[in-house]
Amino acid sequence: MAPIETLDATAATPMLAPHHVVNAHLREMDADVMYHIGLTWSGEDKLKLAQLFGDTKFFITGGSADRMAHFAKEVAAALGIETPYGYALAPIGSTARYVVYKVGPVLVANHGMGVPSVSILLHEVTKLLEYAGAHECTYIRMGTSGGVGVEPGTVVISTEGVNHEMEAVDEVAVLGKVVRRAAIFSPDVVADIAKAAEEEGLPFATGKTLTCNDFYEGQGRLDGAICEYTAEDKFAFLKVAADAGVKNIEMEAKGFAGFCHKLHIPVACVCVTLLNRLLGDQVLSSHETLVGYEQRPGAVLLRFIKARLAAAN
Ligand code: R2B
Ligand code: URA
């Protein structure tokens, strides 16, 4: 098995490299079509991209397009950024796959479901920020998850994204071989977000996040269209996870951490739990309760962003 590609012990707190792409081919290209976000870097567009995105300090992404549009509006309100009269917040680029908003120093986008979807967005947004000269941007995924031994509504701030064997590694198949990247979140960002969660007065936990390829069999649910294991098998799996320090289960953290750690990008993942998987598989809370839970990562991140901006000024 290939060794885990990792950086030195201090590398979980990145910013070692001034630039966050590792691809010599890009330098030879006259234009780069970032197809899925509907933006192109070329000729006179270069200047426009730098003007639009050069001051980006935070890239906040979550699964659903609606939730991220709502969050972008909250960022505008929290930072006092007014859109001119008659204009509303509007997405940038093509919206066929992802919506992207820029609110002051905060870039907001949805990433869809699963590591493949978040990976496409990460490649394109990272090139965009590189071209724009935004080299000091912290990336944060905000989302939902299933809790492991924590109450529904708990905000989990991930320390690592782990795979089905509870290893903090993101496996990427490249040219027929598996590359194993360390899936570690940035301790300083985790600590500052935990402080914000505490100040916000919300129930929160820090710990490992188990990332699965799907919602049903991968997460050990008993309620999928295919389930060829027993309830005992499921609980044995969840116990292994809990004993390893896993606090929640979702579908993106490990890929998000692996990509950012590789590129020295400060990174975090903040997910609310919708249920306690030790008690069931179905998301049974009322719509109102779930809407309330889904607001929590955003509330924590607004406080974190404001604190970081205040500290920088
Ligand atoms: C959490 O919620 C989605 C599945 O319902 C998935 O994107 C995830 O990680
Ligand atoms: N998202 C997941 O991936 N799993 C859950 O249990 C809840 C939300």
Side-chain angles (χ1 to χ4, degrees), residues 63 67 111-114 141 143-145 215 219 249-252:
R67 200 171 352 111
H111 60 56
M113 285 191 280
R141 154 164 154 74
T144 57
S145 61
F215 188 79
Q219 299 191 20
I249 308 177
E250 47 76 273
M251 295 174 58
E252 294 86 12

Side-chain angles (χ1 to χ4, degrees), residues 23 49 83-84 109 121 135-136 159 170 183 216 231 249 254 279 307:
N23 182 358
L49 286 192
T83 46
L121 181 72
H135 300 309
E136 287 177 19
T159 51
D170 181 37
Y216 290 99
I249 308 177
K254 133 180 105 87
L279 302 181

Side-chain angles (χ1 to χ4, degrees), residues 8 13 45 53 73 114 173-174 197 214 245 253 270 277 285 289-290:
D8 63 39
T13 305
D45 292 341
F53 298 103
K73 285 188 191 128
V174 182
D214 75 299
V270 184
R277 287 297 315 288
S285 299
T289 303
L290 292 176

